PDB file of all heavy atoms in Angstrom:
ATOM      1  N   TRP A  66      30.612 -47.220  56.883  1.00 98.00           N
ATOM      2  CA  TRP A  66      31.491 -46.382  57.648  1.00 98.00           C
ATOM      3  C   TRP A  66      32.778 -46.135  56.857  1.00 98.00           C
ATOM      4  O   TRP A  66      33.266 -46.936  56.032  1.00 98.00           O
ATOM      5  CB  TRP A  66      31.898 -47.072  59.020  1.00 98.00           C
ATOM      6  CG  TRP A  66      32.034 -48.602  58.900  1.00 98.00           C
ATOM      7  CD1 TRP A  66      32.993 -49.269  58.278  1.00 98.00           C
ATOM      8  CD2 TRP A  66      31.074 -49.522  59.364  1.00 98.00           C
ATOM      9  NE1 TRP A  66      32.737 -50.666  58.397  1.00 98.00           N
ATOM     10  CE2 TRP A  66      31.501 -50.854  59.069  1.00 98.00           C
ATOM     11  CE3 TRP A  66      29.863 -49.423  60.073  1.00 98.00           C
ATOM     12  CZ2 TRP A  66      30.862 -51.949  59.410  1.00 98.00           C
ATOM     13  CZ3 TRP A  66      29.257 -50.536  60.449  1.00 98.00           C
ATOM     14  CH2 TRP A  66      29.735 -51.854  60.107  1.00 98.00           C
ATOM     15  N   ARG A  67      33.281 -44.932  57.111  1.00 98.00           N
ATOM     16  CA  ARG A  67      34.597 -44.547  56.563  1.00 98.00           C
ATOM     17  C   ARG A  67      35.412 -43.899  57.663  1.00 98.00           C
ATOM     18  O   ARG A  67      34.820 -43.111  58.461  1.00 98.00           O
ATOM     19  CB  ARG A  67      34.427 -43.566  55.369  1.00 98.00           C
ATOM     20  CG  ARG A  67      33.633 -44.110  54.143  1.00 98.00           C
ATOM     21  CD  ARG A  67      34.297 -45.165  53.485  1.00 98.00           C
ATOM     22  NE  ARG A  67      33.518 -45.587  52.338  1.00 98.00           N
ATOM     23  CZ  ARG A  67      32.591 -46.663  52.390  1.00 98.00           C
ATOM     24  NH1 ARG A  67      32.270 -47.222  53.522  1.00 98.00           N
ATOM     25  NH2 ARG A  67      31.912 -46.992  51.311  1.00 98.00           N
ATOM     26  N   PHE A  68      36.701 -44.173  57.741  1.00 98.00           N
ATOM     27  CA  PHE A  68      37.532 -43.690  58.855  1.00 98.00           C
ATOM     28  C   PHE A  68      38.673 -42.830  58.337  1.00 98.00           C
ATOM     29  O   PHE A  68      39.273 -43.228  57.305  1.00 98.00           O
ATOM     30  CB  PHE A  68      38.058 -44.926  59.624  1.00 98.00           C
ATOM     31  CG  PHE A  68      36.977 -45.874  60.060  1.00 98.00           C
ATOM     32  CD1 PHE A  68      36.854 -47.063  59.353  1.00 98.00           C
ATOM     33  CD2 PHE A  68      36.205 -45.512  61.177  1.00 98.00           C
ATOM     34  CE1 PHE A  68      35.830 -47.965  59.773  1.00 98.00           C
ATOM     35  CE2 PHE A  68      35.252 -46.443  61.514  1.00 98.00           C
ATOM     36  CZ  PHE A  68      35.029 -47.626  60.899  1.00 98.00           C
ATOM     37  N   PHE A  69      38.932 -41.735  58.973  1.00 98.00           N
ATOM     38  CA  PHE A  69      40.026 -40.893  58.535  1.00 98.00           C
ATOM     39  C   PHE A  69      40.811 -40.513  59.833  1.00 98.00           C
ATOM     40  O   PHE A  69      40.221 -39.960  60.743  1.00 98.00           O
ATOM     41  CB  PHE A  69      39.502 -39.532  57.944  1.00 98.00           C
ATOM     42  CG  PHE A  69      38.473 -39.858  56.825  1.00 98.00           C
ATOM     43  CD1 PHE A  69      37.133 -40.011  57.111  1.00 98.00           C
ATOM     44  CD2 PHE A  69      38.970 -39.918  55.546  1.00 98.00           C
ATOM     45  CE1 PHE A  69      36.251 -40.226  56.044  1.00 98.00           C
ATOM     46  CE2 PHE A  69      38.050 -40.157  54.462  1.00 98.00           C
ATOM     47  CZ  PHE A  69      36.729 -40.310  54.749  1.00 98.00           C
ATOM     48  N   VAL A  70      42.127 -40.859  59.865  1.00 98.00           N
ATOM     49  CA  VAL A  70      42.945 -40.668  60.978  1.00 98.00           C
ATOM     50  C   VAL A  70      43.782 -39.446  60.787  1.00 98.00           C
ATOM     51  O   VAL A  70      44.509 -39.281  59.773  1.00 98.00           O
ATOM     52  CB  VAL A  70      43.853 -41.812  61.306  1.00 98.00           C
ATOM     53  CG1 VAL A  70      44.720 -41.595  62.490  1.00 98.00           C
ATOM     54  CG2 VAL A  70      43.071 -43.102  61.513  1.00 98.00           C
ATOM     55  N   LEU A  71      43.588 -38.432  61.736  1.00 98.00           N
ATOM     56  CA  LEU A  71      44.355 -37.158  61.550  1.00 98.00           C
ATOM     57  C   LEU A  71      45.341 -37.067  62.729  1.00 98.00           C
ATOM     58  O   LEU A  71      44.921 -37.164  63.860  1.00 98.00           O
ATOM     59  CB  LEU A  71      43.404 -36.016  61.652  1.00 98.00           C
ATOM     60  CG  LEU A  71      42.382 -35.889  60.465  1.00 98.00           C
ATOM     61  CD1 LEU A  71      41.109 -36.425  60.904  1.00 98.00           C
ATOM     62  CD2 LEU A  71      42.319 -34.515  59.906  1.00 98.00           C
ATOM     63  N   THR A  72      46.564 -36.909  62.427  1.00 98.00           N
ATOM     64  CA  THR A  72      47.590 -36.691  63.416  1.00 98.00           C
ATOM     65  C   THR A  72      48.501 -35.564  62.950  1.00 98.00           C
ATOM     66  O   THR A  72      48.395 -35.148  61.723  1.00 98.00           O
ATOM     67  CB  THR A  72      48.438 -37.893  63.594  1.00 98.00           C
ATOM     68  OG1 THR A  72      49.070 -38.301  62.390  1.00 98.00           O
ATOM     69  CG2 THR A  72      47.665 -39.105  64.159  1.00 98.00           C
ATOM     70  N   GLY A  73      49.412 -35.070  63.716  1.00 97.00           N
ATOM     71  CA  GLY A  73      50.361 -34.038  63.275  1.00 97.00           C
ATOM     72  C   GLY A  73      49.762 -32.943  62.412  1.00 97.00           C
ATOM     73  O   GLY A  73      48.721 -32.298  62.781  1.00 97.00           O
ATOM     74  N   GLU A  74      50.252 -32.695  61.186  1.00 97.00           N
ATOM     75  CA  GLU A  74      49.869 -31.698  60.332  1.00 97.00           C
ATOM     76  C   GLU A  74      48.403 -31.836  59.830  1.00 97.00           C
ATOM     77  O   GLU A  74      47.826 -30.902  59.519  1.00 97.00           O
ATOM     78  CB  GLU A  74      50.893 -31.606  59.133  1.00 97.00           C
ATOM     79  CG  GLU A  74      50.688 -30.424  58.272  1.00 97.00           C
ATOM     80  CD  GLU A  74      50.699 -29.050  58.978  1.00 97.00           C
ATOM     81  OE1 GLU A  74      51.409 -28.882  59.950  1.00 97.00           O
ATOM     82  OE2 GLU A  74      49.979 -28.098  58.500  1.00 97.00           O
ATOM     83  N   GLY A  75      47.965 -33.059  59.810  1.00 98.00           N
ATOM     84  CA  GLY A  75      46.627 -33.419  59.410  1.00 98.00           C
ATOM     85  C   GLY A  75      45.585 -32.682  60.264  1.00 98.00           C
ATOM     86  O   GLY A  75      44.600 -32.164  59.799  1.00 98.00           O
ATOM     87  N   ARG A  76      45.945 -32.497  61.544  1.00 98.00           N
ATOM     88  CA  ARG A  76      45.058 -31.745  62.448  1.00 98.00           C
ATOM     89  C   ARG A  76      44.981 -30.289  62.103  1.00 98.00           C
ATOM     90  O   ARG A  76      43.961 -29.585  62.172  1.00 98.00           O
ATOM     91  CB  ARG A  76      45.427 -31.923  63.918  1.00 98.00           C
ATOM     92  CG  ARG A  76      45.355 -33.377  64.369  1.00 98.00           C
ATOM     93  CD  ARG A  76      45.929 -33.667  65.741  1.00 98.00           C
ATOM     94  NE  ARG A  76      47.373 -33.075  65.714  1.00 98.00           N
ATOM     95  CZ  ARG A  76      47.920 -32.542  66.816  1.00 98.00           C
ATOM     96  NH1 ARG A  76      47.347 -32.492  67.964  1.00 98.00           N
ATOM     97  NH2 ARG A  76      49.250 -32.147  66.727  1.00 98.00           N
ATOM     98  N   ASN A  77      46.162 -29.670  61.739  1.00 97.00           N
ATOM     99  CA  ASN A  77      46.172 -28.319  61.310  1.00 97.00           C
ATOM    100  C   ASN A  77      45.444 -28.083  60.029  1.00 97.00           C
ATOM    101  O   ASN A  77      44.735 -27.033  59.865  1.00 97.00           O
ATOM    102  CB  ASN A  77      47.692 -27.848  61.040  1.00 97.00           C
ATOM    103  CG  ASN A  77      48.360 -27.600  62.324  1.00 97.00           C
ATOM    104  OD1 ASN A  77      47.825 -27.120  63.320  1.00 97.00           O
ATOM    105  ND2 ASN A  77      49.638 -28.079  62.425  1.00 97.00           N
ATOM    106  N   LYS A  78      45.415 -29.078  59.074  1.00 98.00           N
ATOM    107  CA  LYS A  78      44.652 -28.954  57.883  1.00 98.00           C
ATOM    108  C   LYS A  78      43.103 -28.883  58.167  1.00 98.00           C
ATOM    109  O   LYS A  78      42.433 -28.111  57.548  1.00 98.00           O
ATOM    110  CB  LYS A  78      45.009 -30.019  56.960  1.00 98.00           C
ATOM    111  CG  LYS A  78      46.355 -29.995  56.362  1.00 98.00           C
ATOM    112  CD  LYS A  78      46.708 -31.232  55.479  1.00 98.00           C
ATOM    113  CE  LYS A  78      48.166 -31.131  55.077  1.00 98.00           C
ATOM    114  NZ  LYS A  78      48.470 -32.380  54.232  1.00 98.00           N
ATOM    115  N   LEU A  79      42.735 -29.747  59.101  1.00 98.00           N
ATOM    116  CA  LEU A  79      41.324 -29.720  59.476  1.00 98.00           C
ATOM    117  C   LEU A  79      41.034 -28.406  60.224  1.00 98.00           C
ATOM    118  O   LEU A  79      39.927 -27.782  59.928  1.00 98.00           O
ATOM    119  CB  LEU A  79      41.038 -30.828  60.473  1.00 98.00           C
ATOM    120  CG  LEU A  79      39.597 -30.944  60.929  1.00 98.00           C
ATOM    121  CD1 LEU A  79      38.607 -31.142  59.768  1.00 98.00           C
ATOM    122  CD2 LEU A  79      39.452 -32.079  62.020  1.00 98.00           C
ATOM    123  N   GLY A  80      41.923 -27.857  60.975  1.00 97.00           N
ATOM    124  CA  GLY A  80      41.748 -26.582  61.682  1.00 97.00           C
ATOM    125  C   GLY A  80      41.557 -25.462  60.608  1.00 97.00           C
ATOM    126  O   GLY A  80      40.817 -24.560  60.815  1.00 97.00           O
ATOM    127  N   GLN A  81      42.275 -25.558  59.470  1.00 97.00           N
ATOM    128  CA  GLN A  81      42.093 -24.535  58.394  1.00 97.00           C
ATOM    129  C   GLN A  81      40.677 -24.673  57.832  1.00 97.00           C
ATOM    130  O   GLN A  81      40.099 -23.613  57.457  1.00 97.00           O
ATOM    131  CB  GLN A  81      43.175 -24.748  57.307  1.00 97.00           C
ATOM    132  CG  GLN A  81      44.577 -24.390  57.831  1.00 97.00           C
ATOM    133  CD  GLN A  81      45.650 -24.880  56.842  1.00 97.00           C
ATOM    134  OE1 GLN A  81      45.430 -25.481  55.833  1.00 97.00           O
ATOM    135  NE2 GLN A  81      46.894 -24.515  57.148  1.00 97.00           N
ATOM    136  N   VAL A  82      40.183 -25.873  57.680  1.00 97.00           N
ATOM    137  CA  VAL A  82      38.836 -26.059  57.201  1.00 97.00           C
ATOM    138  C   VAL A  82      37.824 -25.436  58.194  1.00 97.00           C
ATOM    139  O   VAL A  82      36.881 -24.658  57.756  1.00 97.00           O
ATOM    140  CB  VAL A  82      38.450 -27.541  56.938  1.00 97.00           C
ATOM    141  CG1 VAL A  82      37.036 -27.716  56.524  1.00 97.00           C
ATOM    142  CG2 VAL A  82      39.447 -28.056  55.826  1.00 97.00           C
ATOM    143  N   PHE A  83      38.036 -25.687  59.470  1.00 96.00           N
ATOM    144  CA  PHE A  83      37.129 -25.159  60.497  1.00 96.00           C
ATOM    145  C   PHE A  83      37.199 -23.618  60.469  1.00 96.00           C
ATOM    146  O   PHE A  83      36.151 -22.904  60.599  1.00 96.00           O
ATOM    147  CB  PHE A  83      37.469 -25.661  61.826  1.00 96.00           C
ATOM    148  CG  PHE A  83      37.114 -27.075  62.126  1.00 96.00           C
ATOM    149  CD1 PHE A  83      37.489 -27.649  63.378  1.00 96.00           C
ATOM    150  CD2 PHE A  83      36.415 -27.838  61.256  1.00 96.00           C
ATOM    151  CE1 PHE A  83      37.172 -28.941  63.695  1.00 96.00           C
ATOM    152  CE2 PHE A  83      36.080 -29.160  61.572  1.00 96.00           C
ATOM    153  CZ  PHE A  83      36.461 -29.725  62.714  1.00 96.00           C
ATOM    154  N   GLU A  84      38.417 -23.109  60.293  1.00 94.00           N
ATOM    155  CA  GLU A  84      38.536 -21.548  60.183  1.00 94.00           C
ATOM    156  C   GLU A  84      37.823 -21.021  59.011  1.00 94.00           C
ATOM    157  O   GLU A  84      37.142 -20.061  59.112  1.00 94.00           O
ATOM    158  CB  GLU A  84      40.090 -21.312  60.098  1.00 94.00           C
ATOM    159  CG  GLU A  84      40.315 -19.746  60.023  1.00 94.00           C
ATOM    160  CD  GLU A  84      41.828 -19.481  59.895  1.00 94.00           C
ATOM    161  OE1 GLU A  84      42.530 -20.304  59.214  1.00 94.00           O
ATOM    162  OE2 GLU A  84      42.301 -18.519  60.443  1.00 94.00           O
ATOM    163  N   GLU A  85      37.882 -21.674  57.860  1.00 95.00           N
ATOM    164  CA  GLU A  85      37.267 -21.218  56.649  1.00 95.00           C
ATOM    165  C   GLU A  85      35.654 -21.241  56.833  1.00 95.00           C
ATOM    166  O   GLU A  85      34.937 -20.333  56.452  1.00 95.00           O
ATOM    167  CB  GLU A  85      37.645 -22.097  55.427  1.00 95.00           C
ATOM    168  CG  GLU A  85      37.031 -21.602  54.126  1.00 95.00           C
ATOM    169  CD  GLU A  85      37.529 -22.546  52.974  1.00 95.00           C
ATOM    170  OE1 GLU A  85      38.297 -23.497  53.198  1.00 95.00           O
ATOM    171  OE2 GLU A  85      36.988 -22.382  51.882  1.00 95.00           O
ATOM    172  N   ILE A  86      35.233 -22.330  57.430  1.00 95.00           N
ATOM    173  CA  ILE A  86      33.755 -22.415  57.622  1.00 95.00           C
ATOM    174  C   ILE A  86      33.272 -21.294  58.593  1.00 95.00           C
ATOM    175  O   ILE A  86      32.284 -20.696  58.379  1.00 95.00           O
ATOM    176  CB  ILE A  86      33.375 -23.864  58.152  1.00 95.00           C
ATOM    177  CG1 ILE A  86      33.643 -24.878  57.058  1.00 95.00           C
ATOM    178  CG2 ILE A  86      31.946 -23.863  58.665  1.00 95.00           C
ATOM    179  CD1 ILE A  86      33.571 -26.318  57.676  1.00 95.00           C
ATOM    180  N   THR A  87      34.090 -21.148  59.647  1.00 93.00           N
ATOM    181  CA  THR A  87      33.706 -20.143  60.613  1.00 93.00           C
ATOM    182  C   THR A  87      33.680 -18.667  59.966  1.00 93.00           C
ATOM    183  O   THR A  87      32.803 -17.877  60.299  1.00 93.00           O
ATOM    184  CB  THR A  87      34.749 -20.127  61.794  1.00 93.00           C
ATOM    185  OG1 THR A  87      34.651 -21.486  62.360  1.00 93.00           O
ATOM    186  CG2 THR A  87      34.359 -19.100  62.879  1.00 93.00           C
ATOM    187  N   ARG A  88      34.680 -18.421  59.115  1.00 91.00           N
ATOM    188  CA  ARG A  88      34.632 -17.164  58.466  1.00 91.00           C
ATOM    189  C   ARG A  88      33.406 -17.024  57.542  1.00 91.00           C
ATOM    190  O   ARG A  88      32.848 -15.908  57.617  1.00 91.00           O
ATOM    191  CB  ARG A  88      35.912 -17.080  57.507  1.00 91.00           C
ATOM    192  CG  ARG A  88      36.130 -15.743  56.917  1.00 91.00           C
ATOM    193  CD  ARG A  88      37.423 -15.670  55.995  1.00 91.00           C
ATOM    194  NE  ARG A  88      38.609 -16.109  56.678  1.00 91.00           N
ATOM    195  CZ  ARG A  88      39.316 -15.420  57.508  1.00 91.00           C
ATOM    196  NH1 ARG A  88      38.971 -14.206  57.841  1.00 91.00           N
ATOM    197  NH2 ARG A  88      40.367 -15.899  58.016  1.00 91.00           N
ATOM    198  N   ILE A  89      32.977 -18.021  56.895  1.00 91.00           N
ATOM    199  CA  ILE A  89      31.771 -17.954  56.031  1.00 91.00           C
ATOM    200  C   ILE A  89      30.558 -17.788  56.908  1.00 91.00           C
ATOM    201  O   ILE A  89      29.705 -16.890  56.645  1.00 91.00           O
ATOM    202  CB  ILE A  89      31.671 -19.205  55.179  1.00 91.00           C
ATOM    203  CG1 ILE A  89      32.776 -19.286  54.180  1.00 91.00           C
ATOM    204  CG2 ILE A  89      30.257 -19.333  54.537  1.00 91.00           C
ATOM    205  CD1 ILE A  89      32.937 -20.729  53.512  1.00 91.00           C
ATOM    206  N   GLU A  90      30.462 -18.609  58.058  1.00 89.00           N
ATOM    207  CA  GLU A  90      29.235 -18.569  58.847  1.00 89.00           C
ATOM    208  C   GLU A  90      29.089 -17.312  59.724  1.00 89.00           C
ATOM    209  O   GLU A  90      28.064 -17.093  60.263  1.00 89.00           O
ATOM    210  CB  GLU A  90      29.187 -19.809  59.698  1.00 89.00           C
ATOM    211  CG  GLU A  90      29.202 -21.126  58.900  1.00 89.00           C
ATOM    212  CD  GLU A  90      27.867 -21.359  58.146  1.00 89.00           C
ATOM    213  OE1 GLU A  90      26.829 -21.054  58.747  1.00 89.00           O
ATOM    214  OE2 GLU A  90      27.872 -21.831  57.045  1.00 89.00           O
ATOM    215  N   ASN A  91      30.189 -16.600  59.860  1.00 88.00           N
ATOM    216  CA  ASN A  91      30.155 -15.437  60.840  1.00 88.00           C
ATOM    217  C   ASN A  91      30.599 -14.168  60.118  1.00 88.00           C
ATOM    218  O   ASN A  91      31.124 -13.284  60.758  1.00 88.00           O
ATOM    219  CB  ASN A  91      31.018 -15.751  62.083  1.00 88.00           C
ATOM    220  CG  ASN A  91      30.575 -16.930  62.816  1.00 88.00           C
ATOM    221  OD1 ASN A  91      29.599 -16.779  63.675  1.00 88.00           O
ATOM    222  ND2 ASN A  91      31.129 -18.075  62.588  1.00 88.00           N
ATOM    223  N   ALA A  92      30.317 -14.032  58.852  1.00 84.00           N
ATOM    224  CA  ALA A  92      30.771 -12.910  58.055  1.00 84.00           C
ATOM    225  C   ALA A  92      30.296 -11.528  58.636  1.00 84.00           C
ATOM    226  O   ALA A  92      30.935 -10.576  58.399  1.00 84.00           O
ATOM    227  CB  ALA A  92      30.360 -13.068  56.619  1.00 84.00           C
ATOM    228  N   ASP A  93      29.126 -11.561  59.265  1.00 85.00           N
ATOM    229  CA  ASP A  93      28.546 -10.334  59.768  1.00 85.00           C
ATOM    230  C   ASP A  93      29.066  -9.962  61.208  1.00 85.00           C
ATOM    231  O   ASP A  93      28.677  -8.871  61.724  1.00 85.00           O
ATOM    232  CB  ASP A  93      27.029 -10.477  59.842  1.00 85.00           C
ATOM    233  CG  ASP A  93      26.431 -10.596  58.427  1.00 85.00           C
ATOM    234  OD1 ASP A  93      27.008 -10.172  57.521  1.00 85.00           O
ATOM    235  OD2 ASP A  93      25.316 -11.214  58.358  1.00 85.00           O
ATOM    236  N   ASP A  94      29.867 -10.744  61.812  1.00 85.00           N
ATOM    237  CA  ASP A  94      30.446 -10.410  63.141  1.00 85.00           C
ATOM    238  C   ASP A  94      31.351  -9.228  63.047  1.00 85.00           C
ATOM    239  O   ASP A  94      31.885  -8.808  62.058  1.00 85.00           O
ATOM    240  CB  ASP A  94      31.231 -11.637  63.695  1.00 85.00           C
ATOM    241  CG  ASP A  94      30.361 -12.678  64.229  1.00 85.00           C
ATOM    242  OD1 ASP A  94      29.185 -12.690  64.034  1.00 85.00           O
ATOM    243  OD2 ASP A  94      30.923 -13.542  64.954  1.00 85.00           O
TER     244      ASP A  94
END
Side-chain angles (χ1 to χ4, degrees):
W66 35 73
R67 300 295 182 270
F68 308 101
F69 307 90
V70 180
L71 296 101
T72 60
E74 188 57 31
R76 298 172 306 149
N77 285 320
K78 291 176 183 176
L79 181 61
Q81 291 169 358
V82 173
F83 286 176
E84 180 183 34
E85 183 180 354
I86 294 167
T87 302
R88 186 179 308 281
I89 293 166
E90 297 291 321
N91 298 279
D93 295 334
D94 279 15

